Amino acid sequence: MSWNIWALKKSPWVFHVNTGACNNCDIEIVNCLTPKFDVERFGIKLVGSPRHADALLVTGAVTAQARPRLEEVYRQTPKPCVVFAIGACACDRGIFHNSYHVVGPVDKIIKAIDPDAIIAYVPGCPPKPEAIISGVVKALAVL
Ligand code: SF4
């Protein structure tokens, strides 16, 4: 196992990207960081730059406006990284499925620029903090 995969599994630093979410999924991600759920005890740390991140937590169905920002953030993230699609919108556009301004979902946009990208899905509208933590832990366990 290479050192960067080892670091990703043991202490993933995450960067949060909102690509047009209604903010409920974002609130649940923030909830994971609060003392009640305290994901830092698992080594999961929120960072302020994709250049420092091992994983991306992406919410939202990806609007046309957000697409170039998501692509740029992904390019800036060191590889290998895991992209977590958090919530029904990020997984498959959810309630915004037929919206004129939506170009997602997340996997379609990321795979278009990197076919080897690692994508993990955490469904729910919004997913509970327990589901987000469980999804992150399970996905990292199979790397
Ligand atoms: S999955 Fe639900 S809670 Fe999350 S951004 Fe979409 S509509 Fe909002």
Side-chain angles (χ1 to χ4, degrees):
M1 186 187 308
S2 66
W3 68 268
N4 43 2
I5 287 284
W6 184 87
L8 177 59
K9 288 170 73 83
K10 296 296 181 186
S11 180
W13 287 17
V14 298
F15 184 79
H16 172 215
V17 189
N18 181 332
T19 65
C22 74
N23 277 349
N24 274 358
C25 284
D26 309 282
I27 289 169
E28 297 301 349
I29 288 174
V30 172
N31 204 0
C32 293
L33 301 165
T34 61
K36 181 174 180 184
F37 293 98
D38 190 19
V39 291
E40 284 200 19
R41 67 198 150 113
F42 302 126
I44 301 171
K45 179 175 163 57
L46 186 71
V47 294
S49 167
R51 297 181 195 281
H52 300 158
D54 302 302
L56 299 177
L57 303 179
V58 184
T59 60
V62 190
T63 62
Q65 183 184 38
R67 178 180 187 163
R69 295 169 194 166
L70 174 62
E71 292 172 339
E72 186 62 21
V73 164
Y74 181 76
R75 288 194 186 98
Q76 291 177 343
T77 308
K79 309 298 181 297
C81 79
V82 181
V83 177
F84 290 95
I86 307 288
C89 291
C91 291
D92 196 22
R93 294 165 290 176
I95 60 171
F96 302 106
H97 191 83
N98 291 320
S99 298
Y100 69 94
H101 63 297
V102 166
V103 296
V106 169
D107 57 0
K108 175 182 156 193
I109 304 303
I110 298 296
K111 290 283 186 182
I113 58 174
D114 180 4
D116 298 325
I118 306 167
I119 318 268
Y121 305 87
V122 182
C125 183
K128 294 165 67 176
E130 295 94 328
I132 297 173
I133 295 168
S134 174
V136 170
V137 171
K138 285 179 181 170
L140 296 179
V142 298
L143 282 180

